[in-house]
Amino acid sequence: MRRLLFVSCLTFFAVSPASADITHAIKSSISLTVDGAASQANRIGSSLSVSGSNVTLGAVPKFGSYSAGTALGYTPGEFTITTAGDSFSYSETFIGGDNTPTVLSTTVTGGVVPALPTFGSTVVTSGGTAGTLAGTLATDGALTITAGGAGTTAIGQVIQELTIK
């Protein structure tokens, strides 16, 4: 009997009650974005290259004079054949760069860039129009998103977490 009582006491104290921590979380969010207007304009410079064989250069090709508001000019070269009857080659390449504008900045009116300088490399991003862009979070966790105009983004999410330890 003593042995049975001893074993039952050990069993009683060895078994502990179950315990668990339970955590539940609900996270909701909405992000609304309207793109801003932007412009990036890069001027392209002038370049001149000359190459040839069996030619003698007389007047050297050259850039014109520089003045604000105009592109750099160009005067072509003059050449003669060095040895008559032999083959010859002559190549002259000129790339006219962009004019220097009198105003280098632009203004944004109502999210739109109305005018830009015309350069060799120009990138324009129109401003977004909010229009009917909207988002709401209800107390029950329901999301409502209304699409906007061009250049808008609406993102809604609900995250539910259940942790049991």
Side-chain angles (χ1 to χ4, degrees), residues 6-29:
F6 179 70
V7 171
S8 65
C9 286
L10 283 178
T11 307
F12 178 74
F13 289 113
V15 177
S16 60
S19 64
D21 292 332
I22 298 175
T23 306
H24 182 242
I26 300 174
K27 300 173 186 174
S28 301
S29 67

Side-chain angles (χ1 to χ4, degrees), residues 12-73:
F12 178 74
F13 289 113
V15 177
S16 60
S19 64
D21 292 332
I22 298 175
T23 306
H24 182 242
I26 300 174
K27 300 173 186 174
S28 301
S29 67
I30 292 180
S31 173
L32 305 174
T33 306
V34 179
D35 294 339
S39 67
Q40 178 181 346
N42 297 312
R43 289 182 58 204
I44 293 178
S46 298
S47 67
L48 172 66
S49 67
V50 177
S51 65
S53 64
N54 194 28
V55 292
T56 304
L57 198 55
V60 177
K62 59 185 175 182
F63 289 120
S65 60
Y66 172 80
S67 61
T70 62
L72 196 58

Side-chain angles (χ1 to χ4, degrees), residues 106-109 112-116:
T106 59
T107 57
V108 178
T109 307
V112 177
V113 179
L116 290 172

Side-chain angles (χ1 to χ4, degrees), residues 62-85:
K62 59 185 175 182
F63 289 120
S65 60
Y66 172 80
S67 61
T70 62
L72 196 58
Y74 159 73
T75 303
E78 295 177 10
F79 70 95
T80 58
I81 297 174
T82 306
T83 306

